[in-house]
Amino acid sequence: MGLKTAELLRNLCTTLGHEDAIVVCCKKLVAEHWLEDADDLRNIPRERLESWGVPLKLICEIFEYLEEHDAKSALSGWSSWVNYTLRPALSRSAPAVAINYFKSSVHRHNDPEDWAVRKLQSAWRCRVAKRQVQQDKVLELLDRRDCKLLSPEKAEKVREERAKEKLRRVVRRWRARRATRLAQAGGPNAGSTLPGNRGSKTSHDIKATAQDPVTQLTASLGAVGPNLIFDHCVQVSQGKIKECETSEFVRKIGDELARESPEMAPVIHRLVTINWLEEIDDLELVQDRHWTEWQIPERVVLKIKSKLLERTEGQVSEWIGRACNPFAALWGGSSSASSNDQSRAAGGRRNVEVEDAERRPAPAGPSAAAAKRAAQAKAAFGAPKSRR
């Protein structure tokens, strides 16, 4: 990755609005545990970071950044493979060569001047690229200082610095041998100060500083306390609760449970002050083991979980409603349009029928129709016989 842990912590703490915690986090992770590269954080379990006092929000942000960086690296690796491996291979294939030759022939036939200019430009770029590659290969074998001439004053200064550094190394080795010799002697003159050395240490002080390798290796383990980050967060807050979404959310829960503010203050400090969970969505990061370790009252935990569940369900239903609105509008618009067309067509048919009815002549009355039917029946069957 190339990113240092201190730089990563600086960026994340600045983003979260806790610039005051940059120093203590760097002391804990970099100075005490020697995690200098950000890649080293991949192999650290979250539970161990929590035991070191790192805020839960910062832990989640660290691993989220690492996951995003992995995704970007994979995507860039894929795109680079496509651009620098697949595309050159396809461009050298027979179909691609034939297509390029055909395009070049057409271009040369249609516009010879532009084709010639493009050819010259391509040849010049290839020549410059080859020269650059050869130059880079030469520079890899040489040092920049070897190819640079210094002025006499600067050269004299460089030689002086080199001589001083050699003298410093010689003096350090001499002091180490002298300390070892005095520690091993322990004679009557061991406690005296050697002449000619102003402010030099006695053999007793040298014995105290000349420690065995194991002591020297483990001497710095207690330099950073186990609760360094925790104590710093508490000290910075000065007992005041930071106003944010989470603090307001927990206060409302306390009002519903008929609990006063002093009773809910430890819960808010644990969530906001120590773990930097300042937004309501950040409470989704808290797991059951965290509630147990933090000793939060179980009724408060159940209330928080139920509120978060209701909030999530409302967001999901709202999202589904927004997603379905375009389709509902589309379907509703088409159905309303079709119903309007049908109503217009029905109204048109009714108007045509009314006009046809108005144009047709008026039918004969019921007496004329009955007399006409009686005449037709008499002509067909004769006069009806009377019944006695």
Side-chain angles (χ1 to χ4, degrees):
M1 178 185 296
L3 184 64
K4 297 297 182 180
T5 303
E7 185 179 356
L8 176 61
L9 293 174
R10 185 183 301 107
N11 296 336
L12 294 180
C13 291
T14 304
T15 304
L16 297 175
H18 292 272
E19 295 86 352
D20 53 276
I22 296 176
V23 177
V24 292
C25 292
C26 291
K27 282 184 178 179
K28 191 68 178 179
L29 298 180
V30 181
E32 182 179 359
H33 295 283
W34 303 354
L35 301 174
E36 298 179 357
D37 296 330
D39 287 332
D40 299 335
L41 298 174
R42 302 177 187 274
N43 303 322
I44 308 299
R46 298 185 179 225
E47 293 80 4
R48 187 170 301 172
L49 292 175
E50 294 171 5
S51 65
W52 294 345
V54 182
L56 180 61
K57 177 66 174 179
L58 182 59
I59 296 174
C60 296
E61 289 292 332
I62 289 173
F63 283 97
E64 184 178 355
Y65 175 83
L66 296 176
E67 292 174 359
E68 291 180 358
H69 184 271
D70 293 341
K72 290 180 180 178
S73 300
L75 183 59
S76 62
W78 171 256
S79 61
S80 62
W81 178 81
V82 170
N83 292 330
Y84 300 109
T85 304
L86 182 61
R87 290 180 63 181
L90 293 177
S91 63
R92 290 191 296 268
S93 61
V97 171
I99 293 173
N100 291 333
Y101 178 76
F102 178 74
K103 290 171 63 177
S104 178
S105 300
V106 173
H107 189 199
R108 180 178 58 180
H109 181 268
N110 293 336
D111 194 350
E113 294 183 359
D114 185 66
W115 174 83
V117 170
R118 290 178 181 270
K119 278 290 186 180
L120 291 175
Q121 289 177 350
S122 178
W124 175 256
R125 292 194 188 98
C126 292
R127 183 180 179 182
V128 172
K130 289 180 180 179
R131 287 184 177 180
Q132 186 66 30
V133 170
Q134 294 176 358
Q135 186 179 3
D136 292 342
K137 289 182 179 179
V138 173
L139 291 177
E140 288 178 358
L141 303 176
L142 299 177
D143 191 358
R144 293 184 178 181
R145 292 176 295 181
D146 298 335
C147 302
K148 184 179 181 180
L149 295 178
L150 298 177
S151 61
E153 294 81 6
K154 291 185 178 180
E156 183 67 25
K157 188 175 181 180
V158 169
R159 285 193 293 269
E160 184 180 355
E161 291 294 334
R162 290 176 180 173
K164 288 182 179 180
E165 182 61 28
K166 288 182 180 179
L167 289 175
R168 292 191 193 99
R169 289 199 293 266
V170 171
V171 171
R172 283 197 296 267
R173 288 196 296 267
W174 174 78
R175 287 179 177 176
R177 289 195 299 267
R178 172 170 163 267
T180 304
R181 194 165 52 249
L182 291 176
Q184 291 177 356
N189 298 328
S192 61
T193 305
L194 295 179
N197 296 325
R198 296 182 179 178
S200 58
K201 297 181 180 179
T202 61
S203 62
H204 178 73
D205 297 335
I206 295 173
K207 285 183 180 180
T209 57
Q211 301 172 346
D212 58 302
V214 177
T215 306
Q216 292 178 1
L217 181 62
T218 59
S220 62
L221 290 183
V224 180
N227 298 326
L228 176 66
I229 303 177
F230 178 88
D231 296 339
H232 172 78
C233 294
V234 173
Q235 184 179 2
V236 169
S237 67
Q238 298 179 354
K240 298 180 181 179
I241 297 176
K242 184 177 181 179
E243 296 298 331
C244 58
E245 294 182 2
T246 303
S247 58
E248 187 67 23
F249 180 72
V250 177
R251 285 196 189 98
K252 290 181 179 179
I253 292 178
D255 295 339
E256 294 178 3
L257 298 178
R259 298 291 178 176
E260 298 180 355
S261 298
E263 295 177 316
M264 301 302 295
V267 180
I268 300 176
H269 278 300
R270 173 63 68 174
L271 297 175
V272 179
T273 306
I274 300 175
N275 290 286
W276 302 356
L277 304 175
E278 300 175 0
E279 299 179 359
I280 298 180
D281 293 335
D282 296 338
L283 296 177
E284 300 287 350
L285 305 174
V286 185
Q287 303 177 7
D288 291 336
R289 59 183 180 84
H290 296 127
W291 299 117
T292 304
E293 293 173 0
W294 298 343
Q295 298 180 358
I296 306 297
E298 191 63 25
R299 192 177 179 188
V300 177
V301 175
L302 295 176
K303 200 71 174 177
I304 291 175
K305 289 182 178 180
S306 63
K307 292 287 186 181
L308 292 177
L309 182 60
E310 294 176 0
R311 188 171 181 270
T312 304
E313 291 177 351
Q315 291 177 351
V316 171
S317 61
E318 183 180 357
W319 179 83
I320 294 175
R322 288 199 306 266
C324 295
N325 278 338
F327 299 99
L330 181 62
W331 293 337
S334 60
S335 61
S336 60
S338 59
S339 61
N340 293 335
D341 294 340
Q342 293 176 1
S343 62
R344 293 194 192 98
R349 285 196 298 271
R350 285 195 296 269
N351 294 335
V352 171
E353 292 176 356
V354 170
E355 292 177 358
D356 294 342
E358 291 178 353
R359 292 174 183 173
R360 284 197 298 267
S367 58
K372 185 176 181 181
R373 285 196 299 272
Q376 291 177 355
K378 184 177 180 180
F381 303 102
K385 297 181 180 179
S386 60
R387 294 179 182 180
R388 292 181 181 178

